[in-house]
Amino acid sequence: MIRGTTRLIAHLGYPTTTFKSPMIYNPWFQRRGIDAVVVPMGCKPEDYPDFLRLLFRLSNIHGALVTMPHKVTTLALADRVSVTARIAGAANGLRLAEDGALEADMFDGEGFVRGVLNKGQALQGRSALVVGCGGVGSAIAASLARVGVARLALYDPMGANAEALAGRIAAAYPGIVLETGANDPAGFDLVVNASPLGMNEGDPLPMDPERIDPATFVGEVVLKSEITPLLAAARARGCRYQIGTDMLFEQIPAYLEFFGFPKPSVAELRESAAISY
């Protein structure tokens, strides 16, 4: 029940039709008796800077979840930015500090990496390809570097995005081997689709699945369907894989802690969630 005392967490993005987070947060808030609610808010890119400033002037605003296409823009709109968000070049969480400053952090990479590790896939000393170097892809790449992958390939149709990300990662993790310019998945231990490809019917595949070795672990960030065309192709080749919502579940405990709420287990979140496709 939403009441006058309810703390509002905005879920900012455009379009909102693929949003899954409200179906995880809100059942858990209800289960725990927490007077808070996550509300999807569709905001077009040209309106976002002005809207964000007004949003955080509301007396009952508690924070915001940020998704495509606003993660990169958010970084420049915050007063304080975490080290993780700065390396990623994007942010997906916002909160008001006690002094009124807007603080930004990034949780996508942590959630993705936790999910992969929890499925038994080793990452330290291994090789990884990340396709898509926007907000989520940058965060995943930064977290893969942090956990010790030895070789990291970055690909984005806008080559400058991949080059800029490689530069930030090299400055923070000088020992890693970095590559840019190709989306060929052959020879990698882990390949990740961190692009929007797969959200819309008829999208091309982000990489050639025939080039993925059956021993390769395949990760996906698209949330519109559980098994995207890429994951269907990878599954047919015998690959282990991670669906997009796994990243969501794994990062939400960190998000909730950021917002000052109790930190649940992923199992508890899964038990109460009302995810549908």
Side-chain angles (χ1 to χ4, degrees):
M1 176 66 68
I2 298 174
R3 37 181 83 84
T5 56
T6 301
R7 288 172 284 180
L8 175 65
I9 299 173
H11 191 180
L12 302 170
Y14 183 82
T16 63
T17 51
T18 61
F19 285 11
K20 304 298 181 188
S21 291
M23 294 182 282
I24 304 174
Y25 283 88
N26 292 332
W28 183 79
F29 285 148
Q30 185 175 20
R31 179 176 182 171
R32 284 287 194 102
I34 294 172
D35 192 12
V37 64
V38 171
V39 180
M41 295 186 180
C43 183
K44 293 182 179 180
E46 60 268 28
D47 300 322
Y48 182 65
D50 289 338
F51 178 75
L52 188 68
R53 294 184 188 97
L54 289 172
L55 177 68
F56 275 91
R57 292 179 65 181
L58 295 175
S59 62
N60 61 339
I61 189 70
H62 189 75
L65 314 174
V66 182
T67 190
M68 292 189 299
H70 305 315
K71 293 180 183 181
V72 174
T73 306
T74 297
L75 205 66
L77 299 174
D79 300 307
R80 287 196 285 267
V81 176
S82 73
V83 173
T84 300
R86 197 171 300 282
I87 294 172
N92 69 348
L94 287 167
R95 69 181 178 191
L96 276 176
E98 289 184 6
D99 62 0
L102 195 59
E103 296 181 329
D105 209 337
M106 172 52 89
F107 301 100
D108 280 339
E110 181 71 13
F112 181 87
V113 166
R114 282 186 188 182
V116 172
L117 292 174
N118 287 341
K119 292 175 179 63
Q121 174 66 36
L123 292 174
Q124 187 172 11
R126 301 299 178 89
S127 60
L129 165 68
V130 177
V131 175
C133 297
V136 62
S138 296
I140 289 170
S143 291
L144 289 171
R146 183 182 58 79
V147 298
V149 296
R151 174 187 170 216
L152 181 59
L154 307 170
Y155 175 80
D156 194 277
M158 296 180 65
N161 290 347
E163 294 293 340
L165 175 58
R168 295 194 300 271
I169 292 175
Y173 303 99
I176 192 170
V177 175
L178 290 160
E179 303 168 7
T180 59
N183 64 342
D184 183 1
F188 289 95
D189 300 302
L190 167 72
V191 297
V192 184
N193 176 37
S195 78
L197 295 175
M199 288 182 64
N200 301 307
E201 189 173 348
D203 278 350
L205 290 173
M207 62 190 77
D208 181 358
E210 296 300 315
R211 299 279 294 166
I212 302 175
D213 189 273
T216 298
F217 190 99
V218 180
E220 176 67 273
V221 304
V222 170
L223 303 174
K224 186 174 182 179
S225 58
E226 182 175 21
I227 301 298
T228 63
L230 174 65
L231 291 185
R235 184 170 62 181
R237 292 185 64 77
C239 298
R240 292 177 302 136
Y241 57 87
Q242 175 165 287
I243 64 175
T245 51
D246 285 351
M247 181 179 72
L248 268 186
F249 278 107
E250 292 287 348
Q251 69 181 288
I252 285 176
Y255 253 130
L256 288 166
E257 191 173 42
F258 176 71
F259 290 137
F261 294 116
K263 187 176 181 180
S265 67
V266 173
E268 182 183 349
L269 289 169
R270 289 187 181 278
E271 188 177 330
S272 62
I275 287 286
S276 62
Y277 293 94

